[in-house]
Amino acid sequence: MQTAKCFKRDERGTTATLFGLTLIPVMVLLGAAVDYSRAGAAHARMQRAVDAATLALSRDGGLLSDSELQARAQDVFTSAFGADPSVTAVPVTVTRQGRSIRVEASGTVRPAFMRIAGFNEMPISGTAVAARKKIELALVLDNTGSMASKNKLQELKRASRTLLDKLETAVRDSGDEELVKVSIVPFNSKVNVGRHHKDAWWITYRPHDANPALRMSKDDWQGCVTDREQLQDLDARDDRRITGDPSTLHLATVCGEYFGNRLERQELAEIRPLTNDFQALRQTIGAMRPDGCTNITIGAAWGLDTLSNQGPFTGAAAYGAPDVDKFMILLTDGNNTRSRAYRNSDCSEGPFISGQIDPRTRKVCDNIKSAGGQGIRLYTIRVIEGNATLLSECASTDENGTPRYYDVGDASRIQGVFQDIVNEILATRLTH
């Protein structure tokens, strides 16, 4: 009896007992953390495998049947996901809708510890959509006299042909002829819209103007136009042309430059509006000649016009169209030297450049980057010479705020820059 009473009062070993009782849920929680960590890693690996499959289909799937698309997705997914005896993955599913391809995968992870608590599997999944949009790209290319030096125009032509080759290959591989459209805007201090537009409502003539460069009749006109009026920033816009109001229209001018009373006639290749006719685009590149002074503003403004459905040319999608991305590449090798409003007696820089002409370029660049609220992605390239600050400020910025601006110290590097840009333009966007 005395022994039983002692045993009842003895509290030694209580801590050990309590510790033993609490150890079980602690171990379950620790095991759950391990299992959730393994499931999280498997989920991330599955998402990466889905991304890889989706990107592969976006590149290669244009000409594949639905069954071939499914088989290709499964092969890429299986290779990227790898073997894991603790994971059971069901076959991927592929859905194609227009230019979008959706890949989904799912499976389960067999837990190591949570089975104690009655959990025999943990679900994981991954989804990705490759959204390839139509591309509208304007090439705004300096054709001034200085491009004749240091192989600049020669290298520009070579790089432009390579860029067109790559875009044409992307179109062919996608099986979608409407995937890419390109315009080309050769410029010096003017642009050449083509004599076939002589009766267009948006052209105005001043046959009796005091300025011999503007003293132009319809019969004498060879296709060149100069800046629009600066009033209301028309020279930097792609809209507000009013039939019957000559001050809002494009002013016909001589294809060449007056230096004093002497006219120096020039060959300036015609603008090629947006097209998917790559042979015609190559012809425009081949027609480019180096001549004349520099007016970056007019080149950029007409580049904007070719990407606008509000301008003289038709064929561009409306700003903000959900299935279209718009881009512009602006390349020059010099400073602004001459515009309709400001000029020296030659193509050299004058005191008005930074105060008068450069602000017009900044204005049109701002309009390009904000066009339609969505904006056009603007890449700028300086070849050996030119205003680096102006071009850097003109360029769009990437996700890190870095300007999409390239400073090319050797003309042979234009090729590599164009390749970098076109790769970025063609990159498929993934959404999860």
Side-chain angles (χ1 to χ4, degrees), residues 23-73:
L23 184 60
I24 294 174
V26 169
M27 292 301 295
V28 170
L29 290 174
L30 289 175
V34 171
D35 284 337
Y36 274 113
S37 177
R38 291 174 58 246
H43 169 79
R45 195 166 73 254
M46 178 171 282
Q47 184 62 60
R48 288 193 295 269
V50 167
D51 289 348
T54 307
L55 287 171
L57 296 188
S58 72
R59 290 191 300 267
D60 309 330
L63 302 178
L64 299 180
S65 66
D66 288 346
S67 60
E68 291 171 330
L69 207 67
Q70 177 72 39
R72 172 71 171 144

Side-chain angles (χ1 to χ4, degrees), residues 85-162:
S86 68
V87 178
T88 301
V90 301
V92 299
T93 60
V94 180
T95 306
R96 176 163 46 189
Q97 184 174 7
R99 291 181 181 82
S100 296
I101 294 178
R102 181 186 184 91
V103 178
E104 297 175 273
S106 62
T108 58
V109 177
R110 186 171 64 255
F113 298 95
M114 292 182 65
R115 282 179 293 175
I116 299 173
F119 296 95
N120 294 318
E121 59 183 30
M122 304 174 71
I124 58 173
S125 63
T127 302
V129 178
R132 172 160 281 180
K133 296 184 179 182
K134 291 181 181 178
I135 293 167
E136 293 182 351
L137 168 65
L139 301 178
V140 180
L141 307 177
D142 190 328
N143 277 209
T144 58
S146 58
M147 288 292 290
S149 66
K150 303 177 182 178
N151 290 327
K152 286 180 279 191
L153 189 63
Q154 178 182 339
E155 292 292 340
L156 173 58
K157 287 185 174 185
R158 184 172 72 94
S160 298
R161 293 188 183 102
T162 302

Side-chain angles (χ1 to χ4, degrees), residues 174-235:
S174 72
D176 183 357
E177 293 183 355
E178 297 299 313
L179 178 66
V180 177
K181 290 184 178 180
V182 181
S183 64
I184 301 175
V185 181
F187 72 93
N188 49 33
S189 67
K190 306 172 177 68
V191 295
N192 186 347
V193 298
R195 179 169 166 72
H196 56 283
H197 286 300
K198 66 184 179 67
D199 295 317
W201 66 269
W202 40 269
I203 298 289
T204 186
Y205 301 91
R206 293 184 183 176
H208 305 295
D209 200 278
N211 184 343
L214 303 178
R215 196 179 301 146
M216 185 64 58
S217 66
K218 184 183 297 187
D219 292 337
D220 295 331
W221 186 57
Q222 297 301 307
C224 291
V225 296
T226 187
D227 309 83
R228 294 169 73 193
E229 296 284 355
Q230 290 188 14
L231 185 68
Q232 297 180 325
D233 293 326
L234 295 180
D235 60 329

